[in-house]
Amino acid sequence: MPDESGTIPVHREPWAGQGLPPTLTWDERDGGVLRLLDQTLLPHRVEFRLCRTADDVWHAIRVLCVRGAPAIGVAAAYGLCLAARPLTHLRRPEFLAHLRAAADYLSTARPTAVNLSWALRRMLAHAEHLSGADGAALVPGLLAEAHGIARQDAEVCRRIGQIGESLIPDSAGVLTHCNAGALATVAHGTALALLYEAHRQGRSFRVFADETRPLLQGARLTAFELAASGINVTVLCDGAAASLMQAGRIQLVVVGADRIAANGDTANKIGTLALAVAARQFSIPFYVVAPLSTLDLSLASGRDIPIEQRAEDELRQVGGIDIMSAAIKCYNPAFDVTPAGLITALVTETGIARPVNARTIAHLVAAAATSDTRS
Amino acid sequence: MPDESGTIPVHREPWAGQGLPPTLTWDERDGGVLRLLDQTLLPHRVEFRLCRTADDVWHAIRVLCVRGAPAIGVAAAYGLCLAARPLTHLRRPEFLAHLRAAADYLSTARPTAVNLSWALRRMLAHAEHLSGADGAALVPGLLAEAHGIARQDAEVCRRIGQIGESLIPDSAGVLTHCNAGALATVAHGTALALLYEAHRQGRSFRVFADETRPLLQGARLTAFELAASGINVTVLCDGAAASLMQAGRIQLVVVGADRIAANGDTANKIGTLALAVAARQFSIPFYVVAPLSTLDLSLASGRDIPIEQRAEDELRQVGGIDIMSAAIKCYNPAFDVTPAGLITALVTETGIARPVNARTIAHLVAAAATSDTRS
């Protein structure tokens, strides 16, 4: 297992394209390569990190080269394909046992985003239904399933945008936090999918993006992708959002999610709870936007969601420079949990839950199951 | 007038002492020097900036070498003394006219902290009451008044600490924002004076300091001065405070103020409003701690408080490194306004206003006037 200091060799490739670079792509060359846009380098350098092993993918997820709950799930699915490649000689039972071990390993890269374990469980379940006596016979089917998860992610995000775009009034000021955009998914994004769709329809609005300390995903990623897409964006400190709301300049808040409990309590990037509280204070709608794969119905409430604590140095250092003595303690949770009661509505690919509670969420899930059966 | 790029020559001097360096000191050498601890360099370098002219002081205030509403007032008072020094040859009317012009100029260094104009008005009023036919006769009295303002600031802060310390329960988790400590005043601080006094009395508590973007006064200054004073301090991102409140780890919030309107609405460092809203949500007392010189009774409410908008590059760059393209717009107000209704109590050197409203504030001011008359 690689450690967090990046001791495994990292292979990179510059991007030669225009506009918004793809978050992740699969390349069949050299026996299969997962090409991840290295989001730790944005917006300064647009480079891909080439992953050829499950270790490479684990490490890329851990250091946030790829981040955003949906994108992490897709990356992990491809990571499992990379783990399977050297196992083609194994007979089916041994192959499946190794695959389960690789999935367990990949699922440890980050603890909060449930899409990670969701994608891995889906891959394992698919492997068990595939016919084939050995690894060589099973690997193509696994890769097809990973492609399916990636295609589905883009399609789900497109539908989320269509379902939610009407929530963006013309001339609105829209506040968002962290990055729940194209860079957090295969394409379109979750919270930002609403904005892309409203923009495509010619509606005019203005986005305010929290910079999102400590890792500045809002300043580095959301500003980058919205500006690249021609959407009016302004960055602010996380602490300044309440003053914009107080001044009447924000008409709605849209955020993504990393895990949603059965009752609608939502884990998302640290700072989200403060926004939800302020939105309630100033009577502003607060929307969580996420695919159904972000739901974890096994958890009754947000109290049960594991919260990743990240390294104190993420606060101590800014741009690689110490801003505090190493003797100063830091508190650095990656996520917080917003109670469902503070969420105006949950927007998913199958519809909108409003109000957000166990009953409306169960209803959305049931509707999705029915539509899956029909299709 | 020097510009913000620092084109005037800056003279520096390292500190050879131990413990917490003094925020500002007056030195009679060379015809008078105001020695300001350069807070832009903390915690890495402990150096003083030597101010020999009013321009030097204006610039030091503007670039936040000295900051904190009370300290800014004292620095401006000494700045006026520096402005007066070359005017000793002028006859009284011309001297006073030049002094008024210098005060007008110094008051433009930062628009929000009312202590700045309070201290300058007090210096001018004093000058007009001094007897003396020319500048040479008036300058010593002016300097004595500046010393009086500095002594009074330290004494007021000491009294604030004694009046407010009982608000800190044993074993409390105390959240604070920005720096309202010894570094924001001549000594002791405002919000942090409560903590210093409780600590002196042997009470045990734990401080959580918001890092306070964009200029990180919490991470750089509050952590530095509390750790130097042996107080248990942990730094967090501004957006993480609500999650600590939700988890029951915060028993009270203490913040300073830059200007307080007659009805108790309080301008303080951007991010304060979000804390006040979250404290209300989680039923946690939220205290504003400030000397009476921070009151601006000429303003009926917080709507009338001018809010300084600072350079967008404060957000764009971190540690001198760009984190966004220069094409991305930024919203960077230095302060926000917390409505009095969200403030549990206002702690001052003459007593505590609780609840905070025009009546309780008028009562504090009247009590102060009575005690001034008596002393």
Side-chain angles (χ1 to χ4, degrees), chain A residues 175-186:
Chain A
L175 184 78
T176 190
H177 190 67
C178 193
N179 175 263
L183 295 170
T185 60
V186 171

Side-chain angles (χ1 to χ4, degrees), chain B residues 295-316:
Chain B
L295 286 171
D296 185 348
L297 299 180
S298 76
L299 305 182
S301 83
R303 284 174 198 277
D304 304 323
I305 300 177
I307 298 295
E308 176 183 5
Q309 298 289 330
R310 293 187 60 88
E312 297 191 16
D313 276 349
E314 287 185 351
L315 260 80
R316 277 205 204 98

Side-chain angles (χ1 to χ4, degrees), chain B residues 99-352:
Chain B
L99 208 62
R100 279 190 289 271
D104 284 349
Y105 162 56
L106 281 163
S107 72
T108 64
R110 293 192 70 194
T112 302
V114 74
N115 315 57
L116 177 58
S117 51
W118 169 88
L120 292 166
R121 274 202 314 276
R122 179 168 155 177
M123 289 290 286
L124 289 179
H126 185 75
E128 277 157 20
H129 282 92
L130 286 172
S131 58
D134 58 13
L138 294 166
V139 161
L142 266 184
L143 185 59
E145 184 68 0
H147 288 329
I149 292 175
R151 267 196 314 273
Q152 184 185 330
D153 182 58
E155 171 58 18
V156 157
C157 290
R158 200 181 57 78
R159 270 193 278 163
I160 284 175
Q162 291 169 339
I163 285 174
E165 57 79 20
S166 64
L167 298 172
I168 317 293
D170 202 34
S171 310
V174 184
L175 185 79
T176 189
H177 189 70
C178 195
N179 175 264
L183 296 170
T185 61
V186 171
H188 313 301
T190 53
L192 299 193
L194 279 54
L195 305 180
Y196 287 125
E197 181 60 23
H199 181 67
R200 203 183 62 74
Q201 296 186 13
R203 225 163 313 143
S204 136
F205 52 87
R206 180 170 180 185
V207 182
F208 291 93
D210 278 355
E211 64 172 1
T212 316
R213 281 281 291 155
L215 296 176
L216 302 166
Q217 291 94 336
R220 293 190 303 107
L221 308 180
T222 296
F224 173 77
E225 71 164 90
L226 289 178
S229 308
I231 292 177
N232 184 343
V233 61
T234 300
V235 173
L236 60 153
C237 294
D238 305 332
S243 75
L244 275 181
M245 294 188 196
Q246 184 188 44
R249 296 175 67 185
I250 302 296
Q251 277 63 55
L252 70 158
V253 183
V254 290
V255 298
D258 289 80
R259 194 183 301 213
I260 302 173
N263 72 343
D265 291 353
T266 295
N268 190 47
K269 180 57 57 196
I270 191 74
T272 302
L273 171 61
L275 290 186
V277 170
R280 174 60 50 94
Q281 172 76 20
F282 297 110
S283 305
I284 294 166
F286 180 90
Y287 300 115
V288 171
V289 184
L292 292 177
S293 57
T294 309
L295 286 171
D296 185 348
L297 299 180
S298 76
L299 305 182
S301 83
R303 284 174 198 277
D304 304 323
I305 300 177
I307 298 295
E308 176 183 5
Q309 298 289 330
R310 293 187 60 88
E312 297 191 16
D313 276 349
E314 287 185 351
L315 260 80
R316 277 205 204 98
Q317 300 180 341
V318 183
I321 297 162
D322 281 321
I323 54 169
M324 285 177 260
S325 141
I328 304 286
K329 292 189 289 287
C330 295
Y331 169 68
N332 188 24
F335 305 97
D336 56 28
V337 176
T338 300
L342 292 176
I343 302 169
T344 308
L346 167 65
V347 181
T348 74
E349 70 272 30
T350 56
I352 298 178

Side-chain angles (χ1 to χ4, degrees), chain A residues 44 211 213 232 318 322 329, chain B residues 44 211 213 318 322 329:
Chain A
H44 302 295
E211 63 172 2
R213 281 282 291 155
N232 184 343
V318 183
D322 280 322
K329 292 188 290 287
Chain B
H44 301 296
E211 64 172 1
R213 281 281 291 155
V318 183
D322 281 321
K329 292 189 289 287

Side-chain angles (χ1 to χ4, degrees), chain A:
Chain A
M1 188 187 297
D3 67 13
E4 285 178 54
S5 61
T7 49
I8 60 164
V10 173
H11 300 282
R12 300 183 179 285
E13 195 178 271
W15 189 51
Q18 297 269 313
L20 190 61
T23 306
L24 52 77
T25 47
W26 178 261
D27 187 334
E28 266 303 318
R29 281 181 302 173
D30 299 339
V33 178
L34 178 63
R35 187 180 263 102
L36 297 175
L37 177 64
D38 190 341
Q39 302 194 26
T40 66
L41 306 177
L42 289 175
H44 302 295
R45 282 154 57 199
V46 182
E47 288 184 12
F48 296 100
R49 187 153 158 160
L50 307 184
C51 298
R52 293 197 169 88
T53 67
D55 262 4
D56 289 348
V57 174
W58 186 96
H59 193 251
I61 292 172
R62 175 61 71 110
V63 301
L64 312 193
C65 159
V66 59
R67 29 66 53 202
I72 288 173
V74 178
Y78 282 117
L80 206 59
C81 296
L82 292 170
R85 290 264 165 153
L87 309 177
T88 48
H89 61 289
L90 295 181
R91 295 178 54 82
R92 182 187 180 94
E94 290 74 32
F95 177 85
L96 291 178
H98 275 82
L99 206 63
R100 279 189 290 270
D104 284 349
Y105 163 58
L106 281 164
S107 71
T108 64
R110 291 191 73 195
T112 303
V114 74
N115 315 58
L116 176 57
S117 50
W118 170 86
L120 291 166
R121 274 201 314 276
R122 178 169 154 175
M123 290 290 286
L124 288 179
H126 186 75
E128 277 158 18
H129 282 92
L130 286 172
S131 56
D134 59 13
L138 294 166
V139 161
L142 267 183
L143 185 60
E145 185 68 1
H147 288 330
I149 292 175
R151 268 197 313 273
Q152 185 186 330
D153 182 59
E155 172 57 18
V156 157
C157 289
R158 201 182 56 77
R159 271 193 279 162
I160 284 175
Q162 291 169 339
I163 285 174
E165 58 79 20
S166 64
L167 298 173
I168 317 293
D170 203 33
S171 310
V174 184
L175 184 78
T176 190
H177 190 67
C178 193
N179 175 263
L183 295 170
T185 60
V186 171
H188 312 301
T190 53
L192 300 193
L194 278 55
L195 304 180
Y196 287 124
E197 180 61 23
H199 182 67
R200 203 184 61 76
Q201 295 186 15
R203 225 163 314 141
S204 135
F205 52 88
R206 179 170 181 187
V207 182
F208 291 93
D210 278 354
E211 63 172 2
T212 318
R213 281 282 291 155
L215 296 176
L216 301 166
Q217 291 93 337
R220 293 190 302 110
L221 308 179
T222 297
F224 173 77
E225 72 164 87
L226 290 177
S229 307
I231 291 177
N232 184 343
V233 62
T234 299
V235 173
L236 60 151
C237 293
D238 305 332
S243 75
L244 276 180
M245 294 187 196
Q246 184 187 44
R249 296 175 68 186
I250 302 295
Q251 278 61 56
L252 70 158
V253 183
V254 290
V255 297
D258 289 80
R259 192 183 302 212
I260 302 173
N263 72 342
D265 291 353
T266 295
N268 191 46
K269 181 57 56 197
I270 190 74
T272 302
L273 171 61
L275 290 185
V277 169
R280 173 61 51 94
Q281 172 77 18
F282 297 110
S283 304
I284 294 166
F286 180 90
Y287 300 115
V288 171
V289 185
L292 292 178
S293 57
T294 307
L295 286 171
D296 184 349
L297 299 180
S298 75
L299 305 182
S301 84
R303 284 175 199 275
D304 304 322
I305 300 177
I307 298 295
E308 176 183 4
Q309 299 288 329
R310 293 187 61 87
E312 298 191 16
D313 276 350
E314 285 184 355
L315 260 81
R316 278 205 203 97
Q317 300 180 341
V318 183
I321 297 162
D322 280 322
I323 53 169
M324 285 178 259
S325 142
I328 305 285
K329 292 188 290 287
C330 296
Y331 169 67
N332 187 22
F335 305 97
D336 56 28
V337 176
T338 300
L342 292 176
I343 302 168
T344 309
L346 166 65
V347 181
T348 74
E349 70 272 29
T350 56
I352 298 177
R354 180 201 304 246
V356 181
N357 56 42
R359 193 184 55 75
T360 57
I361 286 178
H363 187 75
L364 278 185
V365 173
T370 313
S371 103
D372 281 357
T373 313
R374 267 195 235 115
S375 68

